[in-house]
Amino acid sequence: MSRRPPETPRTDTIAYGREGPWLIDGPRGAVTTPRGDHPDLPAAILFDRDGTLVEDVPYNGDPALVRLAPTARAAVRAVRAAGIPVGVVSNQSGVARGLLTRAQVDAVRRRVEDLLGPFAVWAICPHGPGDGCDCRKPAPGLVLAACARLGVPAAHTTVIGDIGADTDAARAAGARGVLVPTPVTRAEEIEAADTVAPDLLTAVRLVLGPRGRDRAAATVCVPGTGPGAGEGERR
């Protein structure tokens, strides 16, 4: 596994609540706030992890298997360049199923940040579908917890993901949801989504609008290409 450069030291605070989600705070520099002269920008943008930021490898606990989704690097860079906090909200039911440990989830998280830089907050649900928790998407708990940690209103936050559970969680939390379909996205989920984009960078551009795009334009490079997400467990 590659090591983090010394200029971005980790200052994570990890809260492993038994009932609620796991919350991981990023370095102070990862938390930014849009300037007051751009009130139309989102207060925060939260990404799903598997199938959205990275290729979906079911129950992945191996950092070596982490591969970025197409345009993920450019999309995250554009959000940061616009001065907006970036977070991740992720179901990890492999923990409840006994297929993943906390250490493995954390190792994969760190690898994602090796590739994309530090996020302002991670909110992770370790529960299974039958656990009845409030955080597992499509419930709103992950979105609400991430917003609370960032000190931003959910109503001014956008959630970007690849399946209906992501956009349903956004809607339940009062946030805006944007769907970026992959081969595992169902037709009815695309139909039900308020906003659909063909890739992450397009999704971000839709959310930022002209002012946000102007602020981000100088720092966003042409995105690379790569394979799309394959069929995987619907987390």
Side-chain angles (χ1 to χ4, degrees):
M1 187 193 308
S2 63
R3 299 186 62 181
R4 185 172 302 279
E7 64 271 19
T8 55
R10 296 302 306 175
T11 58
D12 296 348
T13 301
I14 302 179
Y16 290 125
R18 292 187 64 185
E19 302 300 327
W22 300 351
L23 294 174
I24 302 99
D25 295 330
R28 289 176 183 269
V31 180
T32 55
T33 304
R35 297 191 180 108
D37 57 344
H38 295 290
D40 52 332
L41 291 177
I45 294 181
L46 307 175
F47 291 93
D48 170 56
R49 193 192 82 178
D50 302 312
T52 302
L53 288 177
V54 300
E55 293 177 23
D56 189 5
V57 178
Y59 309 120
N60 182 30
D62 183 356
L65 298 181
V66 173
R67 299 287 184 274
L68 293 182
T71 77
R73 183 175 282 114
V76 173
R77 185 184 295 118
V79 178
R80 290 192 178 116
I84 298 171
V86 188
V88 179
V89 286
S90 178
N91 288 351
Q92 292 299 320
S93 68
V95 177
R97 301 172 198 265
L99 301 173
L100 291 172
T101 66
R102 289 175 175 176
Q104 287 175 313
V105 173
D106 196 52
V108 170
R109 174 183 67 85
R110 288 181 177 275
R111 179 55 182 159
V112 173
E113 293 198 331
D114 284 341
L115 297 171
L116 292 175
F119 288 86
V121 67
W122 288 70
I124 298 170
C125 173
H127 307 111
D131 288 344
C133 69
D134 294 327
C135 50
R136 177 177 168 81
K137 295 177 290 183
L142 286 183
V143 177
L144 294 175
C147 289
R149 203 70 160 207
L150 293 172
V152 301
H156 297 158
T157 296
T158 296
V159 180
I160 300 177
D162 67 311
I163 59 176
D166 300 313
T167 52
D168 288 347
R171 188 177 294 114
R176 177 183 182 182
V178 179
L179 187 71
V180 180
T182 70
V184 305
T185 312
R186 295 169 180 159
E188 59 267 29
E189 294 172 334
I190 298 174
E191 253 182 66
D194 295 325
T195 306
V196 180
D199 57 67
L200 278 181
L201 185 57
T202 302
V204 163
R205 286 172 171 163
L206 286 171
V207 172
L208 293 182
R211 289 187 180 180
R213 289 197 298 268
D214 289 346
R215 291 179 65 184
T219 61
V220 178
C221 65
V222 177
T225 58
E231 288 288 333
E233 189 263 338
R234 294 175 62 84
R235 302 169 297 282

